[in-house]
Amino acid sequence: MDPVVIPILVAAIVVVFLVAATVRIVPQARRYNIERFGRYRRTLQPGLNFVLPVADRVNTKLDVREQVYSSDPKPVITEDNLVVNIDTVLYYQITDPRAAAYEVADYLHAIDQLTVTTLRNVIGSMDLEGTLTSREEINARLRAVLDDATGKWGIRVNRVEIKAIDPPNTIKEAMEKQMRAERDKRAAILHAEGERQAKILTAEGTKQKDILEAQGTQQAMILRADGESKAVELVFQAVHRNNADAKVLAYKYLETLPHLAQSDNNTFWVIPGELTEAIRTVTTAFGDQASGTAPPPPPQREDATDADASDKDHVGAPEVEANSTLALDAVAAADEAAKQAAVAVSDAKAEAEAAGETRLPGREQASGD
């Protein structure tokens, strides 16, 4: 080999080595700490960087992205002397690569131990129930303590979350029984409240129903009484306008008597005292039509006869026998009087209806009630 070529190759190798030792390419989101002769010199930023060969060297390579660190469950004693295992999750980010490399030997181990001690201080002042229901408060207090302590290490704690709180098995069983009892209690209360509301609503509905029925009955009775009063008034006016005599009234009186026994609940009915007077009036009327003589006066009591004997002569009513000619004529006359009475009543009703239509337009509704 040519002696000149060997020095050239050696020089080329040296140049390549020097170039490789001089150039440092740092990836994005990475930071390199450079030491010169064992002393911190500077931190290389992402991109192309140049260092002195042999004199400068890379001490630590750090990732400045946000990191997630999940610690193992740690036993912690609560205020009521119960041991619970708490598992935490830590979100942190390196803000100062020099401090993270030279201020603490192992920042992850330091953060883990600081989290455990802070948890014991915070949860030691709470009972089990407060620990289970105060996660947000515990997270905020942990973050405040860790952020203050790790600031000088060049690390920023973004979030601290409690991933799990595991009480002892006996406490879990007691809590399950307690929660079951609370649910049963709430269910019983809700059921009783529902029944109470249902009964109240039912009572209110029954009350409103009774009130409405009573009001309806009252209105119906008022309307019926009003209609009956108007009908009686119209009939009374029609009778007086037609000047009905005692014969027609006595016949209508007798015609109304059979209606007293039409009800199914009536086992007996009382004949009013005026019945004999009505019969006497009809009989007298029929006797007048049959014989053409004046009707005999009504019988008087014995004391009234004795009292009036001195003033005037008493004329007794002739007795009518059942087989006499007068009785047969009275039967025929009764039929004729009935026809005449029916015609008179029809005329009175027609006049009453005509008068009602002209004077009271609401008569038909009142009569229907």
Side-chain angles (χ1 to χ4, degrees), residues 25-202:
I25 299 176
V26 180
Q28 185 66 32
R30 300 289 192 277
R31 300 293 185 272
Y32 291 172
N33 289 327
I34 300 300
E35 292 180 351
R36 179 172 294 179
F37 299 112
R39 184 178 180 181
Y40 172 77
R41 177 66 180 173
R42 63 192 177 99
T43 299
L44 300 181
Q45 299 297 321
L48 181 63
N49 296 275
F50 297 97
V51 296
L52 291 177
V54 181
D56 296 340
R57 70 181 187 90
V58 177
N59 181 24
T60 53
K61 298 179 180 180
L62 300 176
D63 191 347
V64 296
R65 295 175 295 178
E66 186 174 5
Q67 304 292 323
V68 180
Y69 176 72
S70 178
S71 63
D72 297 331
K74 300 296 189 299
V76 180
I77 301 176
T78 61
E79 186 180 10
D80 47 357
N81 297 325
L82 293 176
V83 179
V84 294
N85 294 321
I86 299 180
D87 188 4
T88 60
V89 178
L90 180 67
Y91 297 86
Y92 68 94
Q93 185 177 11
I94 297 175
T95 57
D96 188 356
R98 186 195 67 80
Y102 297 102
E103 296 296 334
V104 61
D106 188 355
Y107 60 86
L108 284 180
H109 182 69
I111 291 174
D112 186 24
Q113 295 301 317
L114 182 61
T115 302
V116 173
T117 55
T118 306
L119 272 177
R120 288 174 178 172
N121 292 333
V122 172
I123 296 179
S125 60
M126 297 182 179
D127 56 4
L128 179 61
E129 185 175 359
T131 302
L132 295 175
T133 58
S134 304
R135 292 196 176 192
E136 292 295 332
E137 181 182 356
I138 296 173
N139 294 337
R141 294 176 66 177
L142 275 176
R143 184 182 179 280
V145 173
L146 292 176
D147 194 22
D148 182 61
T150 58
K152 62 181 180 179
W153 298 341
I155 297 174
R156 183 178 69 243
V157 177
N158 295 327
R159 294 180 63 186
V160 180
E161 296 290 341
I162 296 178
K163 186 167 62 176
I165 299 177
D166 297 327
N169 294 330
T170 56
I171 301 300
K172 288 182 179 179
E173 293 176 358
M175 292 172 61
E176 290 177 358
K177 292 180 180 179
Q178 180 180 2
M179 288 187 293
R180 191 180 300 110
E182 289 292 333
R183 292 191 183 97
D184 293 340
K185 176 184 175 181
R186 289 197 296 268
I189 292 174
L190 291 175
H191 182 69
E193 186 69 21
E195 289 184 351
R196 186 175 74 89
Q197 291 293 334
K199 291 180 179 179
I200 290 174
L201 293 177
T202 303

Side-chain angles (χ1 to χ4, degrees), residues 257-277:
L257 290 178
H259 295 286
L260 297 176
Q262 288 182 358
S263 177
D264 297 335
N265 297 327
N266 291 338
T267 57
F268 68 95
W269 54 288
V270 181
I271 298 176
E274 293 81 359
L275 178 60
T276 57
E277 186 66 25

